[in-house]
Structure formats: C-alpha cells, structure tokens
Amino acid sequence: MSRRPSSHSGALEQHFFARDVTVVARDLIGMLLCRRNRRGLTVGRIAETEAYLAQGDSASHSFNGINRKNASMFGPPGRAYIYTIHARQCFNIVTELTGVASAVLIRAVEPMHGIRLMEQRRSTCIKRDLCRGPARLCEAFDTGGDFDGWDLTRQCRLWVATDSAGDDFRISNSPRIGVTSAKDARLRFFLTGNKFVSGPKALNR
DNA sequence: AAAACGATCTACT
DNA sequence: GTAGATCGTTTTG
C-alpha cells in the first residue's frame, strides 16, 4: 500500500544545512521536497541544485550586503529564501551559520507524488515540464513569496526530507551526481542523465 | 519617467 | 537551440 512520506521520511534537521553550501547543494540531490496543504500532498525528488556562496560570488543576491529583500539569506540555516524574477518565483534554502549569507537554489525536481495537483497548478500534463526549472517547480509546489523565511525543518506545509529506505519514493538507481563549475564561482549539481533537469547544458553531461 | 536588466519560460524549428 | 515574452526592481537622465 501507499505509505505517506511524512511518516517514513523525516524532515532534514538544521545541522544538515549548517554546513558548507557546496556540500549541502550536492547532498540535497536525491532528497525530497515536500509540500502539503488543503488541496493535497506534492513530493518531488531534487534533481538539480546550484550553490550561491557567501564570499566572492558576485552572482549571489547577498553580494552587496543585506537589504529588505535578501534578509532571509542572512538568517538561520534551513530557512527558505524566495526571490521573484521575471514575475516568477525562485526557491532557495539558506545554508551555513546565521549571518553567513549562502544558499542553494533548487533548479529542478523529479515529480514523485501529487502529479495531478502539479498538473493543475502548472496547466500542463507534460511530466517533464512540471518541475523542470526553478520557477516551474515553485508553481507546481505552490511555493509563493509567503514562504520567504519559512523554517523548512519543521515538517509543516513545506519541508525537505530524506529519501529513507522503504518508502514509496526511494531512489531505485544509485544516482550519479554531475558537477559543473559556472561563472562567478557558482556551482551546479544534478543527476547525470536525468531528464528532469532545467537545461540542455546539464543534459549533455 | 524611461530604459535596462535579470538565479526564466514558452513555443517553435 | 533560440527568439520573443514577461514584469518587478534598479539605474539613468
């Protein structure tokens, strides 16, 4: 029978996120992004991430210091940082110690559960396009700007969970993790050969 | 007040 | 693979 991931996959705790941002970005590959509200439960396996460093990363929103918009990046690890661009949302997870403004952008997840709900939110039935891309997955999971600063370790409404053995969402094949250095010291991580990643660059590796 | 700029997406070849 | 759409925020005059 179908088992609920909330009963077998515990939410990641704060100490998981209180580590080097590139390590967290890599370790998040294969973890589960979970969202629950009155409409139901949606779960996706994290397929692509990107690390934004606290130091020397001109592409990071924290590069020019704290302001009203990016304040969550300077807060405790394990919180959400949600940014709006092109009238769309991007979902980040704050890492390292409080005051160290690093974060991991979730670029793509593989739909695992609640696909019907994702299809409704996204207005498409093309599974590959449901959660491929940072703004698309935000729409599929209905993670609006309200979640900026949200504590993702509480296992409530929106959280990140381990892919613990025995539940319905276990990774069947050992994921091969690809790494590519990008400009401005950014780092991307993704499952090689996974079709649920956001761009052709990742697909080709 | 106007223009330029994005951590993007869709549609189409 | 890429042209065109998109719109809030920042920069410019």
Side-chain angles (χ1 to χ4, degrees):
Chain A
M1 291 302 294
S2 176
R3 282 187 283 182
R4 288 283 176 268
S6 57
S7 60
H8 288 276
S9 303
L12 295 176
E13 297 173 37
Q14 193 179 58
H15 59 77
F16 175 90
F17 301 103
R19 298 179 297 153
D20 179 90
V21 63
T22 59
V23 173
V24 176
R26 191 202 135 95
D27 286 353
L28 278 171
I29 299 292
M31 298 294 180
L32 302 178
L33 179 63
C34 308
R35 167 80 167 109
R36 180 169 46 207
N37 67 5
R38 295 162 196 83
R39 298 187 65 187
L41 174 71
T42 43
V43 178
R45 181 177 59 152
I46 296 174
E48 183 179 357
T49 61
E50 182 165 358
Y52 285 87
L53 311 181
Q55 298 291 335
D57 186 356
S58 62
S60 172
H61 289 171
S62 64
F63 188 70
N64 291 319
I66 192 169
N67 59 44
R68 186 186 163 86
K69 295 280 183 184
N70 67 9
S72 295
M73 283 190 79
F74 291 80
R79 304 287 181 90
Y81 167 51
I82 305 226
Y83 183 74
T84 302
I85 188 170
H86 293 60
R88 296 169 172 92
Q89 314 270 24
C90 292
F91 173 68
N92 301 254
I93 303 174
V94 178
T95 60
E96 306 189 35
L97 301 180
T98 300
V100 180
S102 59
V104 176
L105 171 66
I106 308 301
R107 299 191 57 86
V109 309
E110 176 180 349
M112 302 292 284
H113 191 271
I115 291 176
R116 276 288 186 78
L117 189 47
M118 295 180 190
E119 290 174 348
Q120 291 170 8
R121 289 168 174 159
R122 290 273 300 116
S123 301
T124 180
C125 289
I126 302 172
K127 190 177 177 186
R128 183 178 134 86
D129 289 339
L130 284 178
C131 307
R132 183 174 59 89
R136 284 191 268 237
L137 75 87
C138 280
E139 190 172 35
F141 281 76
D142 188 31
T143 56
D146 296 345
F147 282 106
D148 185 46
W150 189 264
D151 186 350
L152 298 165
T153 67
R154 294 189 308 170
Q155 198 161 327
C156 169
R157 290 182 64 187
L158 180 65
W159 69 99
V160 185
T162 57
D163 185 14
S164 61
D167 68 33
D168 291 340
F169 308 100
R170 196 165 77 87
I171 300 170
S172 54
N173 300 319
S174 221
R176 294 177 301 141
I177 298 175
V179 183
T180 178
S181 296
K183 62 177 180 178
D184 301 327
R186 284 180 290 168
L187 283 172
R188 285 192 184 184
F189 301 85
F190 52 88
L191 293 168
T192 56
N194 188 297
K195 63 181 180 179
F196 297 96
V197 296
S198 65
K201 283 182 183 175
L203 282 170
N204 291 338
R205 291 171 191 269

